[in-house]
Amino acid sequence: MLTKTSKPLAAPPSAPAVEDCILVLQGGGALGAYQAGVFESLSRVYKEPSWVAGISIGAINAALIAGNAHAQRVEKLHEFWDLVSSSSAIPGADRRHNAAAREAFNEAAASQVMLFGVPGFFAPRFPPAPFQPRGTLEAISFYDTAPLKATLERLVDFDRINSGATRLSVGAVNVRTGNFEYFDSTQRTLDVRHIMASGALPPGFAPVEIDGEHYWDGGLVSNTPLQYVLDQPMQPGKHGRVVFQVDLFHAHGALPATLAEVTEREKDIRFSSRTRLGTTMELDREVIAQAAQRLLAKLPAALRDDPDAVALAGLRSGPCKDASVDVVHLIYRSKHYESQSKDYEFSRLSMQEHWDAGCYDMAHTLHDPRWTGRDRTACGVRVFDLIDDGPQPHTTSISPQKVSTP
C-alpha cells in the first residue's frame, strides 16, 4: 500500500524485546483509516504492542487491535473500514487529479452520510429526535448506533481484551459531572459499552450508560490519551518506552479563503491544539521533575526532611526516571481537496487514501536514520516528528541535562 514510492523498502530493524511499545490513537471520525494504515506498517516491526489507548474513532481502532490476535488484527481493521465505506464505493480514479471534481465527490459522499448514515456504524433515527419523547436518549441524538454495537461485538474479542494480553484504555466524559474518565482493562472488565461511550459524540450520538452514569465522546475534553499513558508506570522488565502517537488533525494550515475553509481550519486548530498543548505540558513537567530529583540529590542530609524538600520529592519523574521514553508523532496531512466534512466523509476512495497515507508515513518513519540510529540507552523524553511537511522535520530531545532541538 506504499503508494508514494515505487521502490520497496527493506525491512526496518526489529524492535528490541525490552522496549514497551504503546499505541496512542486520537479521535477524528472517517480520518481514522489513517491510524489503521499506520498500524499495518507498525505491526511488521512491533509484533505485540503492550498497550493501545484511544479516544472516539481511536478507541474503535484500539479495540480492534487489542481484541484480536496478531495475525488477525490488520484483517479485522480492513473488515471494519471496508464495511463503513461500502455505501460510497463508487470508482473515483477519474477524480483523483481534478481537485474541483474530487471536492464535489467528497461533499456528495458526506451528504449521503448525513442523510442515510454509515453501514455497520450508525443510522438516522425515525422519527427524528425532535419527534421523540422528551427525556429519552432518542430525543437527544440524531443517529442510532446499534449497528456499531453489532459490528464491534462481531469483530472484537472482549474476552481477549480482559485476559490482559494487550492493555486497552479508552477515554470518555461523564455527562453529569463533566469529568473525564478512562476505562482501562487493567482496572475493570471492558465490554462494548466502553468503546461506544468513547465515541458517543453529541448531538449525533446518544450518551452510553455504564453503571448508572452516562458518557459522551472523550474528545469533548481531550482528543488524545498521551498524558494518561505517560503517567502510568512501565511494565516490569522493560527498559524503554516507545509511544506511537497518531493524530488526525494538523495544527499547520493556510489562511482560509472561504467560509467552508474557515470551518475546516477551526476544526483542525481546535483538535490539534489540545494534542500539542498536552504534549508540551507533559514534556515540561518531565523537565521540572527531573530537575527536582537532581536538586534533592545535592541537598545535605539535614535538609532532606524539610517540608519543601518532601514536596519536591513528590514530583514523580515519570516513567523515564530509569529508562528512555521516545514519542513518535505521526499526523495526518489533509489533501487540498478535503473540506470541513473530512471527518464524516466515509467514501471508499477517501478511506483507501487515508489508509495508504498512514501505511506510508509509518513505514518511512521506521526507516528514517534519525529513528533507526537513535541512542536506545539514553534516559529522558524524546519526541520524533519525521514526516516532511514543508520545513525540515524535527526531533526534540529532553535529557536529564538539557533540552535541545537540532
Side-chain angles (χ1 to χ4, degrees):
M1 289 190 183
L2 303 182
T3 59
K4 296 183 183 180
T5 178
S6 59
K7 185 178 181 180
L9 298 171
S14 298
V18 294
E19 285 186 340
D20 192 7
C21 175
I22 302 171
L23 190 58
V24 174
L25 305 177
Q26 188 187 63
L31 300 176
Y34 177 81
Q35 297 171 341
V38 165
F39 180 77
E40 181 177 11
S41 287
L42 182 67
S43 64
R44 299 184 182 120
V45 177
Y46 291 87
K47 304 295 184 183
E48 193 62 51
S50 57
W51 188 1
V52 189
I55 290 174
S56 198
I57 195 66
I60 293 174
N61 282 330
L64 290 165
I65 293 167
N68 285 285
H70 171 74
Q72 282 78 47
R73 286 169 175 164
V74 173
E75 174 189 334
K76 295 299 183 182
L77 285 166
H78 264 299
E79 189 170 347
F80 174 80
W81 286 101
D82 286 345
L83 173 61
V84 299
S85 63
S86 60
S87 64
S88 296
I90 304 170
D94 58 325
R95 301 179 180 88
R96 289 179 186 269
H97 305 295
N98 185 321
R102 181 57 191 281
E103 185 175 352
F105 170 80
N106 286 6
E107 288 303 309
S111 297
Q112 177 177 312
V113 166
M114 293 181 67
L115 290 172
F116 304 109
V118 173
F121 201 152
F122 59 89
R125 293 196 182 279
F126 187 82
F131 301 99
Q132 297 281 358
R134 180 183 175 86
T136 64
L137 294 181
E138 291 78 7
I140 58 172
S141 57
F142 292 112
Y143 299 98
D144 178 10
T145 54
L148 176 61
K149 181 176 184 292
T151 298
L152 290 174
E153 289 177 335
R154 179 170 59 85
L155 297 180
V156 176
D157 182 350
F158 285 95
D159 287 338
R160 179 181 178 85
I161 289 174
N162 293 310
S163 73
T166 301
R167 182 176 181 178
L168 174 65
S169 304
V170 299
V173 178
N174 186 306
V175 177
R176 180 180 60 83
T177 66
N179 292 334
F180 194 85
E181 185 171 343
Y182 277 101
F183 302 124
D184 194 315
S185 63
T186 64
Q187 300 169 8
R188 66 171 74 198
T189 299
L190 299 188
D191 57 43
V192 69
R193 296 172 302 162
H194 300 95
I195 312 305
M196 294 181 66
S198 184
L201 183 65
F205 305 152
V208 176
E209 183 180 356
I210 300 173
D211 300 332
E213 296 284 355
H214 288 85
Y215 294 89
W216 267 333
D217 191 307
L220 293 175
V221 173
S222 174
N223 203 34
T224 182
L226 179 66
Q227 181 176 347
Y228 180 75
V229 164
L230 293 183
D231 283 347
Q232 304 301 308
M234 193 174 297
Q235 275 196 329
K238 302 295 184 179
H239 306 301
R241 173 171 286 183
V242 178
V243 180
F244 293 93
Q245 178 182 341
V246 190
D247 293 350
L248 302 176
F249 296 95
H250 202 324
H252 297 166
L255 180 69
T258 66
L259 284 176
E261 291 179 5
V262 168
T263 304
E264 179 194 8
R265 190 75 196 104
E266 180 272 334
K267 188 178 292 185
D268 284 343
I269 292 172
R270 174 158 39 101
F271 289 115
S272 65
S273 63
R274 291 177 181 175
T275 300
R276 290 292 189 184
L277 177 63
T279 302
T280 301
M281 289 178 62
E282 193 63 34
L283 297 181
D284 287 347
R285 190 185 72 162
E286 192 63 43
V287 171
I288 294 170
Q290 290 183 1
Q293 298 302 318
R294 294 195 301 273
L295 178 62
L296 289 170
K298 298 173 185 176
L299 289 178
L303 290 178
R304 291 181 183 173
D305 290 333
D306 183 272
D308 290 334
V310 173
L312 284 175
L315 277 175
R316 184 175 60 85
S317 181
C320 78
K321 182 177 180 181
D322 302 310
S324 66
V325 176
D326 292 333
V327 179
V328 182
H329 201 181
L330 292 104
I331 312 171
Y332 174 67
R333 271 71 170 172
S334 294
K335 310 297 188 297
H336 61 87
Y337 48 76
E338 290 185 305
S339 69
Q340 57 84 26
S341 65
K342 61 189 176 185
D343 56 336
Y344 60 92
E345 193 269 286
F346 282 85
S347 72
R348 177 65 57 81
L349 178 59
S350 293
M351 183 279 289
Q352 191 63 61
E353 286 179 343
H354 296 151
W355 186 299
D356 289 348
C359 196
Y360 174 90
D361 287 352
M362 185 76 264
H364 279 261
T365 293
L366 292 174
H367 284 80
D368 192 294
R370 287 163 295 183
W371 175 251
T372 58
R374 74 194 190 282
D375 181 3
R376 297 178 186 269
T377 64
C379 177
V381 178
R382 296 174 295 184
V383 178
F384 296 82
D385 188 354
L386 306 176
I387 302 301
D388 290 302
D389 186 35
Q392 281 294 99
H394 65 275
T395 301
T396 302
S397 198
I398 295 185
S399 69
Q401 303 300 325
K402 63 182 180 179
V403 181
S404 62
T405 302

mmCIF file of all heavy atoms in Angstrom, residues 292-316:
data_model
loop_
_atom_site.group_PDB
_atom_site.id
_atom_site.type_symbol
_atom_site.label_atom_id
_atom_site.label_comp_id
_atom_site.label_asym_id
_atom_site.label_seq_id
_atom_site.Cartn_x
_atom_site.Cartn_y
_atom_site.Cartn_z
ATOM 1 N N ALA A 292 14.066 18.574 39.818
ATOM 2 C CA ALA A 292 13.804 18.443 41.252
ATOM 3 C C ALA A 292 14.561 17.262 41.846
ATOM 4 O O ALA A 292 15.127 17.350 42.944
ATOM 5 C CB ALA A 292 12.307 18.294 41.495
ATOM 6 N N GLN A 293 14.575 16.147 41.118
ATOM 7 C CA GLN A 293 15.281 14.967 41.621
ATOM 8 C C GLN A 293 16.786 15.219 41.727
ATOM 9 O O GLN A 293 17.436 14.801 42.692
ATOM 10 C CB GLN A 293 15.009 13.765 40.704
ATOM 11 C CG GLN A 293 13.552 13.333 40.615
ATOM 12 C CD GLN A 293 12.966 12.976 41.968
ATOM 13 O OE1 GLN A 293 13.623 12.325 42.789
ATOM 14 N NE2 GLN A 293 11.740 13.407 42.220
ATOM 15 N N ARG A 294 17.347 15.930 40.746
ATOM 16 C CA ARG A 294 18.779 16.234 40.786
ATOM 17 C C ARG A 294 19.094 17.188 41.939
ATOM 18 O O ARG A 294 20.115 17.059 42.611
ATOM 19 C CB ARG A 294 19.236 16.834 39.455
ATOM 20 C CG ARG A 294 19.157 15.871 38.278
ATOM 21 C CD ARG A 294 19.952 16.390 37.091
ATOM 22 N NE ARG A 294 19.483 17.694 36.644
ATOM 23 C CZ ARG A 294 18.490 17.882 35.767
ATOM 24 N NH1 ARG A 294 17.851 16.833 35.276
ATOM 25 N NH2 ARG A 294 18.135 19.100 35.411
ATOM 26 N N LEU A 295 18.195 18.164 42.148
ATOM 27 C CA LEU A 295 18.404 19.115 43.238
ATOM 28 C C LEU A 295 18.354 18.412 44.591
ATOM 29 O O LEU A 295 19.175 18.679 45.487
ATOM 30 C CB LEU A 295 17.347 20.216 43.173
ATOM 31 C CG LEU A 295 17.400 21.276 44.279
ATOM 32 C CD1 LEU A 295 18.727 22.035 44.233
ATOM 33 C CD2 LEU A 295 16.231 22.247 44.141
ATOM 34 N N LEU A 296 17.402 17.512 44.770
ATOM 35 C CA LEU A 296 17.278 16.789 46.033
ATOM 36 C C LEU A 296 18.532 15.974 46.327
ATOM 37 O O LEU A 296 18.962 15.849 47.479
ATOM 38 C CB LEU A 296 16.056 15.875 46.002
ATOM 39 C CG LEU A 296 14.691 16.571 46.052
ATOM 40 C CD1 LEU A 296 13.578 15.570 45.775
ATOM 41 C CD2 LEU A 296 14.484 17.244 47.405
ATOM 42 N N ALA A 297 19.141 15.409 45.292
ATOM 43 C CA ALA A 297 20.347 14.603 45.475
ATOM 44 C C ALA A 297 21.526 15.446 45.967
ATOM 45 O O ALA A 297 22.473 14.920 46.571
ATOM 46 C CB ALA A 297 20.716 13.910 44.171
ATOM 47 N N LYS A 298 21.475 16.756 45.700
ATOM 48 C CA LYS A 298 22.565 17.654 46.109
ATOM 49 C C LYS A 298 22.377 18.217 47.507
ATOM 50 O O LYS A 298 23.301 18.820 48.071
ATOM 51 C CB LYS A 298 22.661 18.820 45.113
ATOM 52 C CG LYS A 298 22.988 18.395 43.686
ATOM 53 C CD LYS A 298 22.896 19.591 42.741
ATOM 54 C CE LYS A 298 23.110 19.155 41.290
ATOM 55 N NZ LYS A 298 22.931 20.297 40.355
ATOM 56 N N LEU A 299 21.192 18.052 48.077
ATOM 57 C CA LEU A 299 20.922 18.638 49.398
ATOM 58 C C LEU A 299 21.662 17.890 50.498
ATOM 59 O O LEU A 299 21.781 16.653 50.464
ATOM 60 C CB LEU A 299 19.419 18.599 49.693
ATOM 61 C CG LEU A 299 18.511 19.548 48.912
ATOM 62 C CD1 LEU A 299 17.061 19.316 49.320
ATOM 63 C CD2 LEU A 299 18.900 21.003 49.165
ATOM 64 N N PRO A 300 22.140 18.607 51.495
ATOM 65 C CA PRO A 300 22.715 17.924 52.662
ATOM 66 C C PRO A 300 21.630 17.149 53.403
ATOM 67 O O PRO A 300 20.433 17.480 53.323
ATOM 68 C CB PRO A 300 23.259 19.080 53.512
ATOM 69 C CG PRO A 300 22.513 20.292 53.064
ATOM 70 C CD PRO A 300 22.220 20.077 51.616
ATOM 71 N N ALA A 301 22.033 16.124 54.091
ATOM 72 C CA ALA A 301 21.073 15.235 54.770
ATOM 73 C C ALA A 301 20.157 15.997 55.715
ATOM 74 O O ALA A 301 18.984 15.649 55.877
ATOM 75 C CB ALA A 301 21.832 14.146 55.525
ATOM 76 N N ALA A 302 20.663 17.069 56.330
ATOM 77 C CA ALA A 302 19.870 17.818 57.308
ATOM 78 C C ALA A 302 18.668 18.510 56.690
ATOM 79 O O ALA A 302 17.701 18.837 57.387
ATOM 80 C CB ALA A 302 20.760 18.855 58.006
ATOM 81 N N LEU A 303 18.721 18.749 55.376
ATOM 82 C CA LEU A 303 17.630 19.469 54.708
ATOM 83 C C LEU A 303 16.639 18.549 53.989
ATOM 84 O O LEU A 303 15.613 19.013 53.505
ATOM 85 C CB LEU A 303 18.206 20.469 53.696
ATOM 86 C CG LEU A 303 18.928 21.686 54.271
ATOM 87 C CD1 LEU A 303 19.482 22.542 53.144
ATOM 88 C CD2 LEU A 303 17.979 22.512 55.142
ATOM 89 N N ARG A 304 16.924 17.282 53.935
ATOM 90 C CA ARG A 304 16.083 16.390 53.126
ATOM 91 C C ARG A 304 14.727 16.105 53.754
ATOM 92 O O ARG A 304 13.830 15.619 53.089
ATOM 93 C CB ARG A 304 16.838 15.087 52.837
ATOM 94 C CG ARG A 304 17.996 15.337 51.879
ATOM 95 C CD ARG A 304 18.763 14.094 51.540
ATOM 96 N NE ARG A 304 19.900 14.419 50.682
ATOM 97 C CZ ARG A 304 20.833 13.558 50.328
ATOM 98 N NH1 ARG A 304 20.766 12.298 50.769
ATOM 99 N NH2 ARG A 304 21.832 13.934 49.560
ATOM 100 N N ASP A 305 14.597 16.390 55.063
ATOM 101 C CA ASP A 305 13.295 16.230 55.710
ATOM 102 C C ASP A 305 12.525 17.537 55.773
ATOM 103 O O ASP A 305 11.426 17.582 56.348
ATOM 104 C CB ASP A 305 13.475 15.678 57.132
ATOM 105 C CG ASP A 305 13.948 14.236 57.122
ATOM 106 O OD1 ASP A 305 13.642 13.535 56.131
ATOM 107 O OD2 ASP A 305 14.627 13.822 58.076
ATOM 108 N N ASP A 306 13.095 18.600 55.194
ATOM 109 C CA ASP A 306 12.395 19.882 55.146
ATOM 110 C C ASP A 306 11.089 19.716 54.357
ATOM 111 O O ASP A 306 11.059 19.002 53.347
ATOM 112 C CB ASP A 306 13.293 20.921 54.462
ATOM 113 C CG ASP A 306 12.656 22.305 54.446
ATOM 114 O OD1 ASP A 306 11.899 22.583 53.484
ATOM 115 O OD2 ASP A 306 12.920 23.077 55.367
ATOM 116 N N PRO A 307 9.983 20.331 54.796
ATOM 117 C CA PRO A 307 8.700 20.167 54.097
ATOM 118 C C PRO A 307 8.765 20.507 52.609
ATOM 119 O O PRO A 307 8.116 19.844 51.794
ATOM 120 C CB PRO A 307 7.771 21.131 54.850
ATOM 121 C CG PRO A 307 8.351 21.220 56.211
ATOM 122 C CD PRO A 307 9.835 21.138 56.037
ATOM 123 N N ASP A 308 9.555 21.519 52.249
ATOM 124 C CA ASP A 308 9.673 21.869 50.828
ATOM 125 C C ASP A 308 10.409 20.773 50.056
ATOM 126 O O ASP A 308 10.067 20.469 48.903
ATOM 127 C CB ASP A 308 10.409 23.208 50.665
ATOM 128 C CG ASP A 308 9.569 24.380 51.152
ATOM 129 O OD1 ASP A 308 8.324 24.251 51.142
ATOM 130 O OD2 ASP A 308 10.150 25.415 51.529
ATOM 131 N N ALA A 309 11.414 20.181 50.681
ATOM 132 C CA ALA A 309 12.142 19.092 50.024
ATOM 133 C C ALA A 309 11.238 17.875 49.860
ATOM 134 O O ALA A 309 11.270 17.189 48.826
ATOM 135 C CB ALA A 309 13.381 18.727 50.835
ATOM 136 N N VAL A 310 10.429 17.606 50.886
ATOM 137 C CA VAL A 310 9.492 16.474 50.800
ATOM 138 C C VAL A 310 8.478 16.708 49.682
ATOM 139 O O VAL A 310 8.120 15.792 48.942
ATOM 140 C CB VAL A 310 8.781 16.278 52.156
ATOM 141 C CG1 VAL A 310 7.685 15.220 52.029
ATOM 142 C CG2 VAL A 310 9.784 15.881 53.230
ATOM 143 N N ALA A 311 8.017 17.974 49.539
ATOM 144 C CA ALA A 311 7.065 18.299 48.470
ATOM 145 C C ALA A 311 7.701 18.097 47.106
ATOM 146 O O ALA A 311 7.067 17.558 46.187
ATOM 147 C CB ALA A 311 6.580 19.739 48.619
ATOM 148 N N LEU A 312 8.969 18.510 46.968
ATOM 149 C CA LEU A 312 9.663 18.306 45.695
ATOM 150 C C LEU A 312 9.855 16.816 45.399
ATOM 151 O O LEU A 312 9.782 16.390 44.253
ATOM 152 C CB LEU A 312 11.028 19.009 45.711
ATOM 153 C CG LEU A 312 11.009 20.524 45.551
ATOM 154 C CD1 LEU A 312 12.417 21.084 45.714
ATOM 155 C CD2 LEU A 312 10.434 20.907 44.187
ATOM 156 N N ALA A 313 10.106 16.045 46.448
ATOM 157 C CA ALA A 313 10.298 14.603 46.258
ATOM 158 C C ALA A 313 9.039 13.945 45.720
ATOM 159 O O ALA A 313 9.100 12.896 45.067
ATOM 160 C CB ALA A 313 10.705 13.953 47.578
ATOM 161 N N GLY A 314 7.890 14.585 45.983
ATOM 162 C CA GLY A 314 6.625 14.042 45.480
ATOM 163 C C GLY A 314 6.410 14.272 44.010
ATOM 164 O O GLY A 314 5.472 13.724 43.428
ATOM 165 N N LEU A 315 7.268 15.091 43.385
ATOM 166 C CA LEU A 315 7.181 15.285 41.936
ATOM 167 C C LEU A 315 7.795 14.069 41.257
ATOM 168 O O LEU A 315 8.996 14.005 41.037
ATOM 169 C CB LEU A 315 7.942 16.551 41.512
ATOM 170 C CG LEU A 315 7.222 17.877 41.638
ATOM 171 C CD1 LEU A 315 8.171 19.011 41.296
ATOM 172 C CD2 LEU A 315 6.028 17.920 40.688
ATOM 173 N N ARG A 316 6.965 13.108 40.958
ATOM 174 C CA ARG A 316 7.473 11.883 40.338
ATOM 175 C C ARG A 316 8.027 12.180 38.963
ATOM 176 O O ARG A 316 7.402 12.834 38.143
ATOM 177 C CB ARG A 316 6.348 10.846 40.229
ATOM 178 C CG ARG A 316 6.801 9.502 39.691
ATOM 179 C CD ARG A 316 5.654 8.512 39.745
ATOM 180 N NE ARG A 316 4.523 8.954 38.946
ATOM 181 C CZ ARG A 316 4.406 8.730 37.644
ATOM 182 N NH1 ARG A 316 5.359 8.089 37.001
ATOM 183 N NH2 ARG A 316 3.344 9.145 36.986
#
